[in-house]
Amino acid sequence: MIKGLTISTIWVLDQDRAKDFYTDKLGLEVRTDMTMGEGGSRFLTVGAKDQPEVELNLMVPGAPAMDFESAEAMKKLIAKGVLGAGVLATDDIHGDYAKLKAHGVEFLQEPRERPYGTEAIFRDDSGNWFSLTQPRAGDLDLGKDWH
């Protein structure tokens, strides 16, 4: 029986740059950084300190996950900034927005009220966009369906 999501892939253009962005700017921690066998691909994961059961795999499109043509097409889409990578929850949207902006994070939308809470939209260093959302009071339990 499926127990839940543990690792989700975020396609990035450069793993070292992405590692710096997700740790230095967003404040996530490195969980895994290793090469998969001799000459293999790099397995790099990060996650929120308070959510040890979920990791983001920062992966460059290419073998073994996809063929060369698909990888090149994916890289173009990432760089173009058309891929949404997910929702990151916060309990202080205005404070986190100010802190992240001061750290050089590019925001596409400042915090706005939505039916599900307050949301700001930002891009990572590769071009992926994320929703930074503070759910309505009482809905911050990440196990709830609030979005």
Side-chain angles (χ1 to χ4, degrees):
M1 170 179 252
I2 294 174
K3 301 290 185 182
L5 179 69
T6 59
I7 300 174
S8 183
T9 298
I10 305 295
W11 297 106
V12 300
L13 299 177
D14 180 285
Q15 285 179 306
D16 288 324
R17 226 178 54 219
K19 179 181 176 182
D20 290 343
F21 179 87
Y22 284 84
T23 58
D24 296 343
K25 292 189 178 190
L26 297 186
L28 301 181
E29 63 184 12
V30 173
R31 300 279 175 76
T32 307
D33 191 353
M34 63 185 233
T35 301
M36 304 294 284
E38 190 174 327
S41 62
R42 182 178 182 188
F43 185 62
L44 171 62
T45 68
V46 296
K49 292 174 177 75
D50 294 335
Q51 195 178 24
E53 69 280 6
V54 177
E55 299 179 53
L56 301 176
N57 177 22
L58 305 177
M59 188 172 188
V60 175
M66 61 185 72
D67 61 79
F68 178 79
E69 183 179 317
S70 298
E72 291 305 302
M74 180 67 84
K75 288 175 187 176
K76 286 179 183 175
L77 290 173
I78 295 165
K80 190 173 181 181
V82 298
L83 299 178
V87 178
L88 300 177
T90 178
D91 60 358
D92 182 11
I93 186 79
H94 296 288
D96 286 343
Y97 170 79
K99 181 174 71 174
L100 293 173
K101 195 164 181 159
H103 279 91
V105 174
E106 175 194 358
F107 277 85
L108 305 174
Q109 174 195 293
E110 60 187 40
R112 290 188 187 160
E113 291 301 315
R114 302 286 187 215
Y116 45 82
T118 308
E119 175 186 57
I121 307 289
F122 71 89
R123 286 196 195 284
D124 71 6
D125 67 302
S126 292
N128 298 300
W129 61 268
F130 286 85
S131 167
L132 177 65
T133 301
Q134 181 175 346
R136 295 220 179 280
D139 287 342
L140 190 56
D141 178 356
L142 298 178
K144 290 185 179 180
D145 181 20
W146 54 266
H147 197 133

